mmCIF file of all heavy atoms in Angstrom:
data_model
loop_
_atom_site.group_PDB
_atom_site.id
_atom_site.type_symbol
_atom_site.label_atom_id
_atom_site.label_comp_id
_atom_site.label_asym_id
_atom_site.label_seq_id
_atom_site.Cartn_x
_atom_site.Cartn_y
_atom_site.Cartn_z
ATOM 1 N N LEU A 136 -20.153 -13.049 -10.989
ATOM 2 C CA LEU A 136 -20.695 -11.754 -10.628
ATOM 3 C C LEU A 136 -22.254 -11.789 -10.809
ATOM 4 O O LEU A 136 -22.782 -11.223 -11.793
ATOM 5 C CB LEU A 136 -19.983 -10.623 -11.432
ATOM 6 C CG LEU A 136 -18.568 -10.391 -11.068
ATOM 7 C CD1 LEU A 136 -18.118 -9.127 -11.839
ATOM 8 C CD2 LEU A 136 -18.383 -10.281 -9.620
ATOM 9 N N VAL A 137 -22.867 -12.513 -9.866
ATOM 10 C CA VAL A 137 -24.355 -12.624 -9.940
ATOM 11 C C VAL A 137 -25.004 -11.259 -9.907
ATOM 12 O O VAL A 137 -25.956 -11.063 -10.673
ATOM 13 C CB VAL A 137 -24.780 -13.409 -8.695
ATOM 14 C CG1 VAL A 137 -26.264 -13.507 -8.620
ATOM 15 C CG2 VAL A 137 -24.214 -14.864 -8.694
ATOM 16 N N SER A 138 -24.524 -10.339 -9.166
ATOM 17 C CA SER A 138 -25.160 -9.001 -9.172
ATOM 18 C C SER A 138 -25.034 -8.293 -10.511
ATOM 19 O O SER A 138 -25.937 -7.478 -10.754
ATOM 20 C CB SER A 138 -24.384 -8.203 -8.061
ATOM 21 O OG SER A 138 -22.986 -8.089 -8.331
ATOM 22 N N THR A 139 -24.099 -8.571 -11.286
ATOM 23 C CA THR A 139 -23.990 -7.858 -12.611
ATOM 24 C C THR A 139 -25.142 -8.324 -13.505
ATOM 25 O O THR A 139 -25.562 -7.510 -14.387
ATOM 26 C CB THR A 139 -22.648 -8.216 -13.282
ATOM 27 O OG1 THR A 139 -21.566 -7.675 -12.399
ATOM 28 C CG2 THR A 139 -22.518 -7.527 -14.709
ATOM 29 N N VAL A 140 -25.654 -9.499 -13.327
ATOM 30 C CA VAL A 140 -26.844 -9.949 -14.051
ATOM 31 C C VAL A 140 -27.998 -8.972 -13.802
ATOM 32 O O VAL A 140 -28.648 -8.489 -14.749
ATOM 33 C CB VAL A 140 -27.266 -11.384 -13.653
ATOM 34 C CG1 VAL A 140 -28.551 -11.743 -14.288
ATOM 35 C CG2 VAL A 140 -26.171 -12.293 -13.976
ATOM 36 N N LEU A 141 -28.300 -8.654 -12.494
ATOM 37 C CA LEU A 141 -29.295 -7.696 -12.167
ATOM 38 C C LEU A 141 -29.079 -6.375 -12.737
ATOM 39 O O LEU A 141 -30.029 -5.660 -13.208
ATOM 40 C CB LEU A 141 -29.526 -7.739 -10.670
ATOM 41 C CG LEU A 141 -30.263 -8.774 -9.969
ATOM 42 C CD1 LEU A 141 -31.727 -8.898 -10.541
ATOM 43 C CD2 LEU A 141 -29.564 -10.158 -10.018
ATOM 44 N N MET A 142 -27.735 -5.881 -12.675
ATOM 45 C CA MET A 142 -27.427 -4.576 -13.033
ATOM 46 C C MET A 142 -27.377 -4.313 -14.569
ATOM 47 O O MET A 142 -27.048 -3.217 -14.999
ATOM 48 C CB MET A 142 -26.102 -4.179 -12.330
ATOM 49 C CG MET A 142 -26.097 -4.329 -10.880
ATOM 50 S SD MET A 142 -27.279 -3.101 -10.077
ATOM 51 C CE MET A 142 -27.100 -3.669 -8.336
ATOM 52 N N THR A 143 -27.581 -5.315 -15.306
ATOM 53 C CA THR A 143 -27.567 -5.211 -16.797
ATOM 54 C C THR A 143 -28.901 -5.790 -17.363
ATOM 55 O O THR A 143 -29.739 -5.115 -17.885
ATOM 56 C CB THR A 143 -26.365 -5.835 -17.435
ATOM 57 O OG1 THR A 143 -26.251 -7.260 -16.978
ATOM 58 C CG2 THR A 143 -25.192 -5.169 -17.092
ATOM 59 N N VAL A 144 -29.003 -7.083 -17.168
ATOM 60 C CA VAL A 144 -30.195 -7.837 -17.679
ATOM 61 C C VAL A 144 -31.520 -7.303 -17.181
ATOM 62 O O VAL A 144 -32.489 -7.116 -17.985
ATOM 63 C CB VAL A 144 -30.044 -9.338 -17.498
ATOM 64 C CG1 VAL A 144 -31.286 -10.037 -18.014
ATOM 65 C CG2 VAL A 144 -28.787 -9.879 -18.076
ATOM 66 N N ALA A 145 -31.613 -7.131 -15.918
ATOM 67 C CA ALA A 145 -32.880 -6.631 -15.304
ATOM 68 C C ALA A 145 -33.265 -5.251 -15.852
ATOM 69 O O ALA A 145 -34.438 -4.960 -16.036
ATOM 70 C CB ALA A 145 -32.850 -6.638 -13.813
ATOM 71 N N ILE A 146 -32.271 -4.406 -16.108
ATOM 72 C CA ILE A 146 -32.510 -3.058 -16.697
ATOM 73 C C ILE A 146 -33.082 -3.209 -18.089
ATOM 74 O O ILE A 146 -33.934 -2.476 -18.551
ATOM 75 C CB ILE A 146 -31.321 -2.135 -16.555
ATOM 76 C CG1 ILE A 146 -30.870 -2.059 -15.098
ATOM 77 C CG2 ILE A 146 -31.599 -0.807 -17.154
ATOM 78 C CD1 ILE A 146 -29.593 -1.309 -14.881
ATOM 79 N N ALA A 147 -32.380 -4.030 -18.875
ATOM 80 C CA ALA A 147 -32.842 -4.335 -20.260
ATOM 81 C C ALA A 147 -34.268 -4.785 -20.253
ATOM 82 O O ALA A 147 -35.106 -4.295 -21.053
ATOM 83 C CB ALA A 147 -31.918 -5.272 -20.926
ATOM 84 N N SER A 148 -34.658 -5.669 -19.335
ATOM 85 C CA SER A 148 -36.002 -6.213 -19.199
ATOM 86 C C SER A 148 -36.979 -5.128 -18.837
ATOM 87 O O SER A 148 -38.070 -4.996 -19.445
ATOM 88 C CB SER A 148 -36.062 -7.319 -18.265
ATOM 89 O OG SER A 148 -37.303 -7.923 -18.159
ATOM 90 N N ALA A 149 -36.571 -4.247 -17.908
ATOM 91 C CA ALA A 149 -37.457 -3.126 -17.430
ATOM 92 C C ALA A 149 -37.668 -2.185 -18.641
ATOM 93 O O ALA A 149 -38.759 -1.577 -18.685
ATOM 94 C CB ALA A 149 -36.784 -2.446 -16.333
ATOM 95 N N ALA A 150 -36.699 -2.078 -19.511
ATOM 96 C CA ALA A 150 -36.859 -1.161 -20.689
ATOM 97 C C ALA A 150 -37.664 -1.765 -21.820
ATOM 98 O O ALA A 150 -37.973 -1.074 -22.804
ATOM 99 C CB ALA A 150 -35.398 -0.711 -21.230
ATOM 100 N N GLY A 151 -38.018 -3.053 -21.683
ATOM 101 C CA GLY A 151 -38.903 -3.716 -22.704
ATOM 102 C C GLY A 151 -38.045 -4.304 -23.810
ATOM 103 O O GLY A 151 -38.686 -4.624 -24.889
ATOM 104 N N VAL A 152 -36.809 -4.554 -23.620
ATOM 105 C CA VAL A 152 -36.005 -5.284 -24.720
ATOM 106 C C VAL A 152 -36.495 -6.688 -24.894
ATOM 107 O O VAL A 152 -36.462 -7.418 -23.888
ATOM 108 C CB VAL A 152 -34.560 -5.199 -24.379
ATOM 109 C CG1 VAL A 152 -33.720 -5.954 -25.466
ATOM 110 C CG2 VAL A 152 -33.967 -3.738 -24.230
ATOM 111 N N PRO A 153 -36.914 -7.060 -26.018
ATOM 112 C CA PRO A 153 -37.466 -8.448 -26.240
ATOM 113 C C PRO A 153 -36.445 -9.511 -26.284
ATOM 114 O O PRO A 153 -36.755 -10.677 -25.887
ATOM 115 C CB PRO A 153 -38.330 -8.298 -27.511
ATOM 116 C CG PRO A 153 -37.594 -7.188 -28.290
ATOM 117 C CD PRO A 153 -37.056 -6.221 -27.303
ATOM 118 N N GLU A 154 -35.304 -9.200 -26.675
ATOM 119 C CA GLU A 154 -34.214 -10.254 -26.852
ATOM 120 C C GLU A 154 -32.990 -9.810 -26.093
ATOM 121 O O GLU A 154 -32.326 -8.885 -26.492
ATOM 122 C CB GLU A 154 -33.834 -10.591 -28.275
ATOM 123 C CG GLU A 154 -35.062 -11.115 -29.128
ATOM 124 C CD GLU A 154 -34.654 -11.406 -30.614
ATOM 125 O OE1 GLU A 154 -33.434 -11.559 -30.851
ATOM 126 O OE2 GLU A 154 -35.492 -11.439 -31.405
ATOM 127 N N ILE A 155 -32.707 -10.504 -25.000
ATOM 128 C CA ILE A 155 -31.578 -10.171 -24.085
ATOM 129 C C ILE A 155 -30.625 -11.254 -24.059
ATOM 130 O O ILE A 155 -30.913 -12.393 -23.437
ATOM 131 C CB ILE A 155 -32.109 -9.785 -22.679
ATOM 132 C CG1 ILE A 155 -33.186 -8.737 -22.725
ATOM 133 C CG2 ILE A 155 -30.933 -9.375 -21.801
ATOM 134 C CD1 ILE A 155 -33.947 -8.559 -21.449
ATOM 135 N N VAL A 156 -29.481 -11.125 -24.769
ATOM 136 C CA VAL A 156 -28.544 -12.260 -24.935
ATOM 137 C C VAL A 156 -27.380 -12.036 -23.952
ATOM 138 O O VAL A 156 -26.782 -10.942 -23.872
ATOM 139 C CB VAL A 156 -27.934 -12.260 -26.382
ATOM 140 C CG1 VAL A 156 -27.086 -13.446 -26.634
ATOM 141 C CG2 VAL A 156 -29.128 -12.209 -27.410
ATOM 142 N N VAL A 157 -27.077 -13.045 -23.206
ATOM 143 C CA VAL A 157 -26.107 -12.982 -22.194
ATOM 144 C C VAL A 157 -24.899 -13.911 -22.568
ATOM 145 O O VAL A 157 -25.133 -15.064 -22.976
ATOM 146 C CB VAL A 157 -26.567 -13.369 -20.804
ATOM 147 C CG1 VAL A 157 -25.471 -13.460 -19.812
ATOM 148 C CG2 VAL A 157 -27.618 -12.423 -20.326
ATOM 149 N N CYS A 158 -23.639 -13.432 -22.449
ATOM 150 C CA CYS A 158 -22.479 -14.208 -22.527
ATOM 151 C C CYS A 158 -21.697 -14.165 -21.212
ATOM 152 O O CYS A 158 -21.577 -13.093 -20.643
ATOM 153 C CB CYS A 158 -21.550 -13.772 -23.669
ATOM 154 S SG CYS A 158 -22.127 -14.162 -25.283
ATOM 155 N N THR A 159 -21.293 -15.307 -20.701
ATOM 156 C CA THR A 159 -20.564 -15.393 -19.488
ATOM 157 C C THR A 159 -19.644 -16.607 -19.561
ATOM 158 O O THR A 159 -19.996 -17.593 -20.073
ATOM 159 C CB THR A 159 -21.544 -15.487 -18.233
ATOM 160 O OG1 THR A 159 -20.816 -15.399 -17.053
ATOM 161 C CG2 THR A 159 -22.296 -16.886 -18.268
ATOM 162 N N PRO A 160 -18.355 -16.466 -19.003
ATOM 163 C CA PRO A 160 -17.440 -17.536 -19.161
ATOM 164 C C PRO A 160 -17.919 -18.757 -18.244
ATOM 165 O O PRO A 160 -18.390 -18.536 -17.190
ATOM 166 C CB PRO A 160 -16.105 -16.920 -18.765
ATOM 167 C CG PRO A 160 -16.512 -15.684 -17.929
ATOM 168 C CD PRO A 160 -17.777 -15.240 -18.557
ATOM 169 N N CYS A 161 -17.523 -19.910 -18.768
ATOM 170 C CA CYS A 161 -17.813 -21.109 -17.990
ATOM 171 C C CYS A 161 -16.518 -21.625 -17.286
ATOM 172 O O CYS A 161 -15.414 -21.105 -17.638
ATOM 173 C CB CYS A 161 -18.370 -22.174 -18.866
ATOM 174 S SG CYS A 161 -17.243 -22.738 -20.220
ATOM 175 N N GLY A 162 -16.619 -22.555 -16.459
ATOM 176 C CA GLY A 162 -15.460 -23.161 -15.826
ATOM 177 C C GLY A 162 -14.810 -24.111 -16.857
ATOM 178 O O GLY A 162 -15.374 -24.374 -17.945
ATOM 179 N N SER A 163 -13.655 -24.671 -16.450
ATOM 180 C CA SER A 163 -12.983 -25.562 -17.337
ATOM 181 C C SER A 163 -13.704 -26.813 -17.673
ATOM 182 O O SER A 163 -13.568 -27.495 -18.630
ATOM 183 C CB SER A 163 -11.598 -25.981 -16.730
ATOM 184 O OG SER A 163 -11.818 -26.537 -15.508
ATOM 185 N N ASP A 164 -14.699 -27.109 -16.751
ATOM 186 C CA ASP A 164 -15.615 -28.339 -16.957
ATOM 187 C C ASP A 164 -16.837 -27.956 -17.820
ATOM 188 O O ASP A 164 -17.708 -28.824 -17.952
ATOM 189 C CB ASP A 164 -16.068 -28.940 -15.654
ATOM 190 C CG ASP A 164 -16.866 -27.961 -14.771
ATOM 191 O OD1 ASP A 164 -16.970 -26.787 -15.156
ATOM 192 O OD2 ASP A 164 -17.303 -28.388 -13.741
ATOM 193 N N GLY A 165 -16.995 -26.668 -18.266
ATOM 194 C CA GLY A 165 -18.089 -26.263 -19.074
ATOM 195 C C GLY A 165 -19.237 -25.825 -18.272
ATOM 196 O O GLY A 165 -20.326 -25.583 -18.897
ATOM 197 N N SER A 166 -19.114 -25.761 -16.960
ATOM 198 C CA SER A 166 -20.398 -25.441 -16.153
ATOM 199 C C SER A 166 -20.450 -23.910 -15.914
ATOM 200 O O SER A 166 -19.433 -23.204 -15.891
ATOM 201 C CB SER A 166 -20.345 -26.148 -14.830
ATOM 202 O OG SER A 166 -19.187 -25.742 -14.073
ATOM 203 N N VAL A 167 -21.601 -23.400 -15.534
ATOM 204 C CA VAL A 167 -21.876 -22.020 -15.178
ATOM 205 C C VAL A 167 -22.359 -22.060 -13.776
ATOM 206 O O VAL A 167 -23.244 -22.907 -13.429
ATOM 207 C CB VAL A 167 -22.840 -21.287 -16.143
ATOM 208 C CG1 VAL A 167 -23.052 -19.918 -15.633
ATOM 209 C CG2 VAL A 167 -22.279 -21.246 -17.530
ATOM 210 N N ASN A 168 -21.908 -21.167 -12.982
ATOM 211 C CA ASN A 168 -22.342 -21.146 -11.582
ATOM 212 C C ASN A 168 -23.841 -21.119 -11.428
ATOM 213 O O ASN A 168 -24.560 -20.342 -12.031
ATOM 214 C CB ASN A 168 -21.786 -19.925 -10.910
ATOM 215 C CG ASN A 168 -22.073 -19.770 -9.350
ATOM 216 O OD1 ASN A 168 -23.198 -19.264 -9.118
ATOM 217 N ND2 ASN A 168 -21.256 -20.167 -8.532
ATOM 218 N N PRO A 169 -24.424 -22.052 -10.679
ATOM 219 C CA PRO A 169 -25.883 -22.089 -10.592
ATOM 220 C C PRO A 169 -26.507 -20.788 -10.013
ATOM 221 O O PRO A 169 -27.671 -20.494 -10.332
ATOM 222 C CB PRO A 169 -26.120 -23.331 -9.641
ATOM 223 C CG PRO A 169 -24.864 -23.590 -8.951
ATOM 224 C CD PRO A 169 -23.810 -23.117 -9.883
ATOM 225 N N GLY A 170 -25.844 -20.128 -9.087
ATOM 226 C CA GLY A 170 -26.380 -18.878 -8.546
ATOM 227 C C GLY A 170 -26.452 -17.774 -9.614
ATOM 228 O O GLY A 170 -27.492 -17.086 -9.690
ATOM 229 N N LEU A 171 -25.479 -17.774 -10.546
ATOM 230 C CA LEU A 171 -25.555 -16.834 -11.662
ATOM 231 C C LEU A 171 -26.688 -17.233 -12.601
ATOM 232 O O LEU A 171 -27.479 -16.306 -13.031
ATOM 233 C CB LEU A 171 -24.285 -16.919 -12.351
ATOM 234 C CG LEU A 171 -23.977 -15.743 -13.377
ATOM 235 C CD1 LEU A 171 -22.545 -15.390 -13.431
ATOM 236 C CD2 LEU A 171 -24.471 -16.077 -14.783
ATOM 237 N N LEU A 172 -26.862 -18.502 -12.823
ATOM 238 C CA LEU A 172 -28.095 -18.926 -13.656
ATOM 239 C C LEU A 172 -29.405 -18.580 -13.009
ATOM 240 O O LEU A 172 -30.324 -18.192 -13.735
ATOM 241 C CB LEU A 172 -27.982 -20.465 -13.876
ATOM 242 C CG LEU A 172 -26.839 -20.920 -14.778
ATOM 243 C CD1 LEU A 172 -26.916 -22.493 -14.899
ATOM 244 C CD2 LEU A 172 -26.895 -20.332 -16.207
ATOM 245 N N ALA A 173 -29.467 -18.709 -11.713
ATOM 246 C CA ALA A 173 -30.699 -18.359 -11.023
ATOM 247 C C ALA A 173 -30.979 -16.868 -11.139
ATOM 248 O O ALA A 173 -32.126 -16.424 -11.371
ATOM 249 C CB ALA A 173 -30.613 -18.683 -9.494
ATOM 250 N N ALA A 174 -29.927 -16.029 -11.096
ATOM 251 C CA ALA A 174 -30.149 -14.630 -11.306
ATOM 252 C C ALA A 174 -30.532 -14.322 -12.707
ATOM 253 O O ALA A 174 -31.335 -13.426 -12.996
ATOM 254 C CB ALA A 174 -28.751 -13.915 -11.041
ATOM 255 N N LEU A 175 -30.000 -15.076 -13.734
ATOM 256 C CA LEU A 175 -30.451 -14.835 -15.122
ATOM 257 C C LEU A 175 -31.923 -15.181 -15.279
ATOM 258 O O LEU A 175 -32.578 -14.548 -16.089
ATOM 259 C CB LEU A 175 -29.613 -15.733 -16.048
ATOM 260 C CG LEU A 175 -28.122 -15.252 -16.219
ATOM 261 C CD1 LEU A 175 -27.299 -16.455 -16.822
ATOM 262 C CD2 LEU A 175 -28.045 -14.046 -17.010
ATOM 263 N N LYS A 176 -32.355 -16.117 -14.554
ATOM 264 C CA LYS A 176 -33.768 -16.416 -14.604
ATOM 265 C C LYS A 176 -34.693 -15.300 -14.129
ATOM 266 O O LYS A 176 -35.641 -14.859 -14.775
ATOM 267 C CB LYS A 176 -34.127 -17.775 -13.767
ATOM 268 C CG LYS A 176 -35.568 -18.105 -13.628
ATOM 269 C CD LYS A 176 -36.290 -18.507 -14.919
ATOM 270 C CE LYS A 176 -37.584 -18.974 -14.638
ATOM 271 N NZ LYS A 176 -38.296 -19.351 -15.966
ATOM 272 N N VAL A 177 -34.386 -14.811 -12.922
ATOM 273 C CA VAL A 177 -35.225 -13.761 -12.312
ATOM 274 C C VAL A 177 -35.117 -12.485 -13.067
ATOM 275 O O VAL A 177 -36.001 -11.634 -13.126
ATOM 276 C CB VAL A 177 -34.906 -13.591 -10.875
ATOM 277 C CG1 VAL A 177 -33.584 -12.869 -10.630
ATOM 278 C CG2 VAL A 177 -36.067 -12.790 -10.113
ATOM 279 N N ALA A 178 -33.884 -12.180 -13.685
ATOM 280 C CA ALA A 178 -33.693 -10.917 -14.375
ATOM 281 C C ALA A 178 -34.308 -10.871 -15.784
ATOM 282 O O ALA A 178 -34.621 -9.764 -16.234
ATOM 283 C CB ALA A 178 -32.174 -10.706 -14.488
ATOM 284 N N GLY A 179 -34.518 -11.973 -16.435
ATOM 285 C CA GLY A 179 -35.244 -11.975 -17.695
ATOM 286 C C GLY A 179 -34.349 -12.270 -18.894
ATOM 287 O O GLY A 179 -34.737 -11.800 -20.028
ATOM 288 N N ALA A 180 -33.232 -12.859 -18.760
ATOM 289 C CA ALA A 180 -32.366 -13.225 -19.957
ATOM 290 C C ALA A 180 -33.136 -14.182 -20.870
ATOM 291 O O ALA A 180 -33.839 -15.051 -20.425
ATOM 292 C CB ALA A 180 -31.100 -13.862 -19.572
ATOM 293 N N THR A 181 -33.082 -13.911 -22.253
ATOM 294 C CA THR A 181 -33.763 -14.801 -23.175
ATOM 295 C C THR A 181 -32.814 -15.812 -23.817
ATOM 296 O O THR A 181 -33.269 -16.859 -24.324
ATOM 297 C CB THR A 181 -34.478 -13.930 -24.226
ATOM 298 O OG1 THR A 181 -33.415 -13.136 -24.936
ATOM 299 C CG2 THR A 181 -35.470 -13.034 -23.618
ATOM 300 N N GLU A 182 -31.513 -15.540 -23.890
ATOM 301 C CA GLU A 182 -30.491 -16.453 -24.385
ATOM 302 C C GLU A 182 -29.280 -16.330 -23.558
ATOM 303 O O GLU A 182 -28.826 -15.230 -23.257
ATOM 304 C CB GLU A 182 -30.133 -16.162 -25.853
ATOM 305 C CG GLU A 182 -31.251 -16.232 -26.849
ATOM 306 C CD GLU A 182 -30.871 -15.650 -28.217
ATOM 307 O OE1 GLU A 182 -29.680 -15.952 -28.597
ATOM 308 O OE2 GLU A 182 -31.682 -15.086 -28.892
#
Side-chain angles (χ1 to χ4, degrees):
L136 294 188
V137 174
S138 54
T139 299
V140 174
L141 280 303
M142 303 296 176
T143 53
V144 176
I146 301 174
S148 182
V152 176
E154 297 181 22
I155 307 170
V156 185
V157 174
C158 284
T159 189
C161 62
S163 58
D164 62 353
S166 66
V167 177
N168 181 276
L171 194 147
L172 292 178
L175 289 166
K176 171 67 175 179
V177 73
T181 61
E182 298 171 37

